[in-house]
Amino acid sequence: MAQEQVNRGPQGPEFGKAAPVGLLVIIGLLVVILALGYFFNRRMRKMHKRRDFAEAHGLDPFDIDTIDRRMAETEATGATTAPADSGDQDSSTEDPGGDQR
């Protein structure tokens, strides 16, 4: 009796074979995961570049518009170093980002 119940499962020539659609789904998911990884990596590099630039130039790291504008100005002039501080002005009271706080 127990032997009969075990053998009653799905059987036949097509049992156990995967459909070709499954391979396409797996390949599609792999492509999506690789694309997400690529775009995430690109975005993280840009974020680190902005943060490093903001820290080097004394800007607010959350003011993306000002950072992008200053980076474009720096790239246009070809300058790669941080601006020199003038000795007569206190940098703690200066707002280099131009924000109204």
Side-chain angles (χ1 to χ4, degrees):
M1 183 104 161
Q3 188 69 11
E4 272 185 44
Q5 291 177 355
V6 172
N7 290 336
R8 286 190 185 177
Q11 293 179 355
E14 298 298 317
F15 176 71
K17 294 183 179 179
V21 175
L23 179 62
L24 293 176
V25 168
I26 291 173
I27 290 173
L29 289 173
L30 181 65
V31 168
V32 168
I33 289 171
L34 291 175
L36 284 173
Y38 172 76
F39 289 122
F40 179 74
N41 188 23
R42 206 170 100 189
R43 186 173 177 94
M44 290 298 291
R45 284 184 187 179
K46 190 182 290 188
M47 185 183 71
H48 286 299
K49 185 178 176 183
R50 280 186 184 137
R51 187 186 67 208
D52 292 342
F53 183 85
E55 288 175 359
H57 291 81
L59 300 172
D60 179 21
F62 297 105
D63 189 6
I64 295 172
D65 295 331
T66 303
I67 294 172
D68 286 342
R69 184 172 30 87
R70 295 269 180 100
M71 286 177 76
E73 290 171 1
T74 303
E75 289 175 1
T77 60
T80 58
T81 59
D85 290 333
S86 59
D88 59 316
Q89 195 173 25
D90 184 15
S91 63
S92 64
T93 60
E94 180 184 358
D95 185 16
D99 292 342
Q100 300 280 333
R101 295 186 192 160

